[in-house]
Amino acid sequence: MFALRASVLAAFALAAAACEDHLHSRDTAHAHTHEHVHKREYPQVPLTPPYRPLVWSDFNVIHTTDTHGWLLGHQKASFPEPDYSGDLGDFASFVTHMKQIALEKDVDLLLVDSGDLHDGTGLSDGYPAGSVDGHETNTFLERLPYDLMTVGNHELYEYADAYDTYINLAPHLNGRYLASNVNITILNEDGEAVSLPMGNRSVKFTTRKGRNIMSLGVIYDFTGNSANTTVQFASDMVKEQWFADAIADEPDLFLLVGHMPVSYDHWPDVFDAIRVVHPLTPILIFGGHTHIRDCRQYDGRSMALESGRYMETIGADLDAAKDNSDNITFTRRYLDQNRVTYEYHTQQSNATFDTEAGQNITQGLLDLAIAYDLDYLYGTAPQDYSLSGAPYPSNDSILTLFIAEAAPVALAINNSRASIPNIMITNSGSQRFDLFKGPFTKNDQLTSSPFLDQFLYIPNLNFSIANQVLPALNQAGADERRRKRDAFEREMRRSDDIRAVYNEWLREMNERAGMEKRAESAGNLTLGYVTQDYCPGAGDDTMHIAIPYYDTPDFIGSNAPNVSDDTPIDLVFVDFIEDQLLGILNGLQSAQTYTESDVLPYSDILSNEILGLYAQAEWN
Ligand SMILES: *[C@@H]1O[C@H](CO)[C@@H](O)[C@H](O)[C@H]1NC(C)=O
Ligand SMILES: *[C@@H]1O[C@H](CO)[C@@H](O)[C@H](O)[C@H]1NC(C)=O
Ligand SMILES: *[C@@H]1O[C@H](CO)[C@@H](O)[C@H](O)[C@H]1NC(C)=O
Ligand SMILES: *[C@@H]1O[C@H](CO)[C@@H](O)[C@H](O)[C@H]1NC(C)=O
Ligand SMILES: *[C@@H]1O[C@H](CO)[C@@H](O)[C@H](O)[C@H]1NC(C)=O
Ligand SMILES: *[C@@H]1O[C@H](CO)[C@@H](O)[C@H](O)[C@H]1NC(C)=O
Ligand SMILES: *[C@@H]1O[C@H](CO)[C@@H](O)[C@H](O)[C@H]1NC(C)=O
Ligand SMILES: *[C@@H]1O[C@H](CO)[C@@H](O)[C@H](O)[C@H]1NC(C)=O
Ligand SMILES: *[C@@H]1O[C@H](CO)[C@@H](O)[C@H](O)[C@H]1NC(C)=O
Ligand SMILES: *[C@@H]1O[C@H](CO)[C@@H](O)[C@H](O)[C@H]1NC(C)=O
Ligand SMILES: *[C@@H]1O[C@H](CO)[C@@H](O)[C@H](O)[C@H]1NC(C)=O
Ligand SMILES: [Zn+2]
Ligand SMILES: [Zn+2]
């Protein structure tokens, strides 16, 4: 008989900041590489502290997922950014204090991660030619005492990333980098190609308190992976002999990590396969991928948690008697990732909180930002531009800024077609993150607008026809989107499907808040997540009012030129939407059937350069 209580913690989101006094020009940037840099400024705005202490139990887990390179935290001043203003060094100090508390309470505390370590900020993605995305940021994650890590889809788009993860990160976990359904093909000593699990398929280990744990690391049914990596669907994985062998003995607890959403996905396949053999053994699941805070209980003796994005932590609490059939009481908490949260829960002051290892991590990340020239300044943004917190079109929308303001300016540079009237179209998924008032740097560009789309055009379209293309694209709606997803592997990487789930989450939150409640509480609360999930009790660690949310169309366009209906104009669009756009255009008119041979390159400037060029032209 053994009693078990578990608690996990949560929410973590980080952003690379321009350290204001270190903004420098391209000319001087490289000279700074080894210079000492002061710790980034702490948020200059007061943060709301958590409203109640964590519930400690016998078995506790801290979870991170979908950190995507945000290891310097969110350093912009507009809410909700300051809520997530801790950095990986702060998190490391927090973990150290929490481990000490666990020792004093004589309970278990584990640290786990569910994958997607890069593709998000310049720290991971601003690497120089010859390096690999996430290679340097992974070396900082390796300094934390993770008990389990697992592979995310972003580790699998490029073979080089997968191989780097396999060869460098995985060994640091000493058998605890789990890849139950992901293989990588490598050349063995004899030069033969062999397919091997990308990490360990399963692991059994014993905690400090003597609990026997059995763990797996499972990714969702991902199909966009690179050649020479293999993803097996979870429903097939559970039929494998190794799986049966791995789960045969009953542990005290199954601790499953995986890059798979806890709602509407395939965790139940894995869960059910275990339940067939072990009807009552506690099962704790830590998922990811859709970037939301979510929690499910597949039965009364299990809990599945998802900890948001950009390093949102999680907290679960479980109270179990192994040899009975009672439901287990779990608690979970989603922590805002900042020093106020960390100091509150570890009962440290600003002066006592930092550990040397934590400060070293912060310093190392700041040095990396300098080595990558991430503070390179394009211009100073006059205001915030939001992805979903402002209506489209509007002057506060980054979508409007990008396509109606910046693209027409940037694409006119060195362009012989510049004097010909045009309409420019892209997809709203082409922008990834808000753009904030103040310095707009290389890091901000990599964060907000990372995709490498080429601009194409069809010349001499009647304005009246060209002007119908954008609304027709948007009308094509959900069916079109689904078709597009099947047709374009790249679509997966852009995570438009993830964005749909994440946006739906924000939309619900916004609706629940309602304008009245928002006005009422505005005096005391700051903007942030207001989570309602499927587990008992309140999950959020800090109270907020919901972030405003506005739906945006799938496609966005520049302002139509003021010309007559039969004026020939250029229809400019990104290569990413070419197939769809041609289909729509051919549905709108029958004078000509347009094909790829009617499409010409419009500019050498790629979509990820647009905002920087615009900032250089207009924000200086
Ligand atoms: C993990 O996998 C490696 C490579 O297959 C193997 O050598 C190692 O023993 C495994 N570790 C554990 C703990 O199972
Ligand atoms: C993964 O690698 C193992 C070990 O080489 C092999 O037995 C298995 O068939 C591979 N699985 C897939 C799906 O390629
Ligand atoms: C996959 O690996 C094999 C063996 O190393 C190699 O010959 C092949 O070119 C690789 N395929 C791709 C698409 O990289
Ligand atoms: C135990 O949990 C299950 C699933 O969450 C629930 O349906 C059931 O009512 C619970 N039983 C008790 C006695 O609380
Ligand atoms: C917290 O401590 C740091 C140094 O560790 C200092 O730079 C900062 O100003 C302090 N912040 C507050 C709010 O006291
Ligand atoms: C921190 O960095 C310094 C200088 O690089 C090093 O001497 C020290 O051992 C590091 N301390 C920790 C705890 O990592
Ligand atoms: C948006 O900005 C333009 C140009 O600065 C201005 O003319 C227009 O009135 C603004 N629109 C709104 C709705 O504020
Ligand atoms: C435009 O052309 C000039 C002269 O060739 C060149 O220096 C500049 O880099 C070009 N600008 C862009 C954005 O390509
Ligand atoms: C803010 O909180 C105080 C204390 O709880 C309360 O008295 C006051 O009504 C609140 N103000 C608003 C605007 O909600
Ligand atoms: C559009 O052009 C016409 C003719 O040149 C002009 O009279 C009209 O004011 C313009 N409209 C706008 C909104 O600029
Ligand atoms: C463009 O407009 C002209 C004049 O109205 C018409 O003759 C021509 O067929 C149109 N072209 C297309 C491709 O619709
Ligand atoms: Zn992710
Ligand atoms: Zn993912």
Side-chain angles (χ1 to χ4, degrees):
M1 181 93 175
F2 105 113
L4 183 61
R5 281 172 58 78
S7 84
V8 194
L9 320 173
F12 202 74
L14 311 162
C19 196
E20 304 248 0
D21 52 345
H22 282 85
L23 292 172
H24 45 247
S25 72
R26 178 170 270 168
D27 298 330
T28 57
H30 297 290
H32 289 224
T33 307
H34 299 293
E35 188 175 294
H36 177 75
V37 179
H38 294 287
K39 181 158 168 87
R40 84 287 184 286
E41 283 183 21
Y42 294 97
Q44 300 300 299
V45 287
L47 294 177
T48 314
Y51 68 97
R52 65 222 153 118
L54 296 170
V55 181
W56 279 85
S57 315
D58 294 337
F59 187 80
N60 308 277
V61 182
I62 299 176
H63 177 225
T64 56
T65 190
D66 294 271
T67 51
H68 287 286
W70 286 77
L71 304 187
L72 271 178
H74 291 234
Q75 301 295 325
K76 302 291 185 177
S78 303
F79 276 97
E81 297 304 283
D83 297 342
Y84 321 122
S85 55
D87 64 24
L88 189 72
D90 297 329
F91 181 60
S93 298
F94 173 65
V95 170
T96 299
H97 293 303
M98 291 293 282
K99 290 257 182 195
Q100 184 57 38
I101 294 171
L103 276 176
E104 285 159 13
K105 293 183 184 289
D106 198 24
V107 295
D108 281 325
L109 174 65
L110 275 63
L111 176 63
V112 304
D113 181 84
S114 300
D116 271 7
L117 303 179
H118 63 87
D119 285 339
T121 79
L123 274 177
S124 52
D125 315 337
Y127 59 93
S131 187
V132 174
D133 203 343
H135 175 83
E136 292 299 330
T137 37
N138 284 356
T139 65
F140 292 96
L141 292 167
E142 284 164 9
R143 299 197 206 175
L144 277 89
Y146 276 102
D147 293 283
L148 298 169
M149 290 184 114
T150 190
V151 58
N153 54 309
H154 282 261
E155 276 77 69
L156 296 173
Y157 286 102
E158 306 285 344
Y159 182 79
D161 297 340
Y163 187 73
D164 184 61
T165 304
Y166 170 75
I167 214 77
N168 290 313
L169 177 61
H172 276 273
L173 274 289
N174 291 322
R176 310 260 193 101
Y177 186 85
L178 297 178
S180 302
N181 59 341
V182 180
N183 272 21
I184 185 166
T185 302
I186 58 164
L187 297 179
N188 69 10
E189 285 146 9
D190 301 326
E192 295 156 346
V194 288
S195 175
L196 299 170
M198 197 172 139
N200 290 75
R201 275 175 166 168
S202 66
V203 66
K204 292 176 184 175
F205 62 98
T206 305
T207 64
R208 195 186 66 83
K209 291 293 294 170
R211 291 193 174 82
N212 297 316
I213 311 288
M214 198 276 137
S215 290
L216 300 164
V218 188
I219 196 169
Y220 69 98
D221 291 357
F222 176 49
T223 54
N225 53 307
S226 80
N228 288 330
T229 66
T230 317
V231 175
Q232 184 182 40
F233 288 180
S235 53
D236 294 326
M237 178 194 81
V238 299
K239 295 177 197 148
E240 297 269 2
Q241 185 58 45
W242 73 259
F243 180 84
D245 295 343
I247 66 162
D249 296 335
E250 187 184 16
D252 293 321
L253 173 82
F254 285 96
L255 180 59
L256 313 183
V257 292
H259 197 73
M260 179 147 72
V262 301
S263 293
Y264 312 113
D265 215 295
H266 292 283
W267 277 118
D269 290 348
V270 185
F271 179 84
D272 292 347
I274 293 173
R275 273 287 173 259
V276 168
V277 187
H278 306 289
L280 294 174
T281 314
I283 302 178
L284 258 183
I285 294 176
F286 295 93
H289 184 60
T290 39
H291 295 180
I292 65 173
R293 295 175 174 185
D294 198 6
C295 181
R296 293 272 174 172
Q297 288 193 266
Y298 302 135
D299 68 12
R301 295 174 67 80
S302 65
M303 180 182 251
L305 286 156
E306 191 172 336
S307 310
R309 60 175 191 174
Y310 308 155
M311 289 183 81
E312 302 187 358
T313 337
I314 302 177
D317 221 311
L318 110 109
D319 196 343
K322 187 185 175 195
D323 295 332
N324 70 25
S325 58
D326 295 348
N327 282 356
I328 299 169
T329 306
F330 296 87
T331 67
R332 50 80 185 72
R333 196 72 70 76
Y334 307 108
L335 273 64
D336 284 356
Q337 194 277 122
N338 62 60
R339 289 175 65 98
V340 170
T341 297
Y342 293 155
E343 287 165 17
Y344 176 92
H345 288 308
T346 57
Q347 295 177 335
Q348 300 291 323
S349 69
N350 184 48
T352 62
F353 175 72
D354 293 293
T355 62
E356 189 181 315
Q359 286 176 319
N360 278 6
I361 288 173
T362 300
Q363 187 58 51
L365 290 166
L366 291 169
D367 291 345
L368 180 62
I370 289 173
Y372 283 4
D373 200 15
L374 297 184
D375 287 348
Y376 177 76
L377 183 66
Y378 292 111
T380 304
Q383 59 164 90
D384 293 345
Y385 298 91
S386 183
L387 197 52
S388 61
Y392 171 84
S394 80
N395 286 349
D396 296 330
S397 163
I398 188 176
L399 301 177
T400 298
L401 171 72
F402 180 83
I403 198 66
E405 307 289 332
V409 169
L411 294 177
I413 298 170
N414 297 348
N415 193 330
S416 60
R417 307 284 304 176
S419 62
I420 298 164
N422 62 60
I423 291 178
M424 297 176 172
I425 298 178
T426 187
N427 58 323
S428 57
S430 65
Q431 306 309 303
R432 183 169 62 191
F433 200 71
D434 299 343
L435 191 163
F436 294 98
K437 182 181 164 111
F440 179 72
T441 64
K442 176 180 169 186
N443 184 59
D444 296 317
Q445 176 159 272
L446 282 163
T447 300
S448 291
S449 196
F451 302 112
L452 302 167
D453 296 320
Q454 199 195 345
F455 286 90
L456 309 172
Y457 79 113
I458 298 174
N460 300 323
L461 273 178
N462 284 353
F463 169 72
S464 63
I465 300 293
N467 199 33
Q468 294 171 55
V469 171
L470 178 64
L473 274 167
N474 277 321
Q475 252 166 34
D479 286 350
E480 196 63 32
R481 230 173 300 152
R482 222 168 288 126
R483 192 191 68 76
K484 178 181 69 173
R485 248 207 304 281
D486 294 344
F488 291 95
E489 187 178 294
R490 272 194 300 163
E491 183 70 9
M492 300 295 287
R493 177 156 215 177
R494 285 159 183 272
S495 310
D496 284 6
D497 51 345
I498 296 163
R499 188 173 294 182
V501 175
Y502 179 75
N503 280 351
E504 181 59 19
W505 185 56
L506 291 184
R507 196 185 60 73
E508 279 175 14
M509 211 179 276
N510 178 57
E511 270 177 19
R512 274 201 312 276
M515 295 317 284
E516 250 172 68
K517 192 165 164 229
R518 180 164 287 143
E520 218 173 78
S521 45
N524 289 358
L525 299 180
T526 58
L527 292 181
Y529 293 132
V530 184
T531 308
Q532 201 169 76
D533 60 22
Y534 301 87
C535 293
D540 289 325
D541 190 46
T542 302
M543 290 206 257
H544 291 291
I545 27 174
I547 305 161
Y549 173 79
Y550 296 86
D551 279 324
T552 50
D554 292 340
F555 299 91
I556 55 176
S558 59
N559 298 323
N562 180 19
V563 296
S564 62
D565 277 359
D566 58 358
T567 306
I569 74 163
D570 288 344
L571 180 63
V572 181
F573 53 92
V574 290
D575 56 352
F576 185 65
I577 65 170
E578 180 175 1
D579 284 2
Q580 276 166 292
L581 184 134
L582 287 172
I584 291 290
L585 184 56
N586 289 326
L588 286 172
Q589 52 79 48
S590 50
Q592 188 182 336
T593 302
Y594 289 91
T595 67
E596 280 183 21
S597 61
D598 301 302
V599 175
L600 302 165
Y602 187 71
S603 169
D604 292 337
I605 294 165
L606 299 177
S607 59
N608 69 335
E609 302 170 86
I610 296 286
L611 291 174
L613 289 168
Y614 177 76
Q616 278 171 340
E618 303 289 330
W619 288 349
N620 277 303

